[in-house]
DNA sequence: GTATTAATGCAAATAACTTGCATTTTATAA
DNA sequence: TTATAAAATGCAAGTTATTTGCATTAATAC
């Protein structure tokens, strides 16, 4: 998707105040190549081969990168986490309530809606870059 | 929130094709009284006292009621599920990315946005009643 | 280079949720 | 009513996703 160069990824990690390690770059590199949010299982499975990385390390890197604001975590009611690169732009997806199908939808804005919600809110004064998941039934499950 | 009578809850369970049991009514009854989506832990803790209900039973009842369309399940990236009564109307909330604060926002509609998303979608042709979670930072965490 | 501190692997632990099985209960039919 | 079949329940044990402890290794700063 975003597909950054190794140098760009290195810069991102450094600016986040994290140490540059092969594993950390491998995690970021993988996430920069896929188009849908990725499960930890998929990441572990993909990286174990070439990078001989342990799952604990994957989890720890996901946590540190997420903490640093480089990743977004999404849930989809699947009982496990998914991650994608934090692009700074909002992330919108349709999610099937029945199967694990999701679809990212690009090119819409809900800034007005978010503004309205904030106006009604007592506990929130602002949102950072947001994500929105709309649940429904995919064509297959409908 | 909705606060149904025992008779109404019984009718809902029957129309869903499920058997009417004390535990099942207790789960529904509890959910009808709270205003925010409830964790399984909270439910087990609350019902164990007066109803002497096992957690396996709570999980099984939540699953059957959800399956039957009487409940909505929400995740909020907390690593555990939350449930609320399915009212048939959309459910919108602001969710803190940092702590476990959530806030339900009533009285807004995103039907137009959903329509736009569906128009752009390849995998979805319709949504049922939807839920939307907007992530940001609550006042406390901002 | 050396020191400091973070990252890693591996195994064990925890949290959330599920399942097997023997025993009630419920709904339905006689 | 009473009998019957199917679903619900408790309790213990099992899974899956994720986290943690600890000894070792590697990355940055001086
Ligand atoms: Mn998934
Ligand atoms: Mn929660
Ligand atoms: Zn589906
Ligand atoms: Zn917060």
């Amino acid at each position: 998707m975003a597909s950054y160069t190794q140098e760009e990824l290195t810069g991102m990690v450094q600016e986040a105040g994290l140490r540059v390690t092969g594993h950390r770059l491998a995690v970021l590199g993988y996430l920069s190549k896929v188009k849908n949010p990725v499960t930890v299982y998929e990441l572990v499975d993909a990286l174990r081969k070439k990078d001989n990385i342990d799952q604990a390390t994957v989890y720890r890197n996901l946590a540190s990168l997420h903490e640093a604001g480089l990743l977004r975590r999404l849930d989809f009611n699947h009982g496990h986490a998914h991650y994608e690169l934090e692009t700074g732009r909002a992330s919108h997806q349709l999610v099937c309530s029945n199967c694990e199908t999701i679809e990212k939808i690009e090119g819409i804005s809900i800034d007005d809606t978010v503004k309205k919600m904030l106006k009604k809110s007592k506990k929130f004064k602002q949102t950072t870059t947001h994500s929105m998941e709309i649940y429904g039934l995919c064509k297959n499950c409908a």
Side-chain angles (χ1 to χ4, degrees), chain A residues 76-78 93-99 101-103 133-138:
Chain A
F76 308 134
N77 270 315
H78 288 180
Q93 32 267 324
L94 292 168
V95 182
C96 185
S97 310
N98 187 243
C99 74
T101 296
I102 69 153
E103 183 180 10
E133 289 82 48
I134 301 295
Y135 290 83
L137 290 175
C138 75

Side-chain angles (χ1 to χ4, degrees), chain A residues 35-39 42 74 76 82-84 93 102 104:
Chain A
K35 76 167 199 302
N36 273 335
V38 149
T39 63
E42 175 180 345
L74 301 163
F76 308 134
H82 307 72
Y83 289 88
E84 65 180 6
Q93 32 267 324
I102 69 153
K104 288 185 73 70

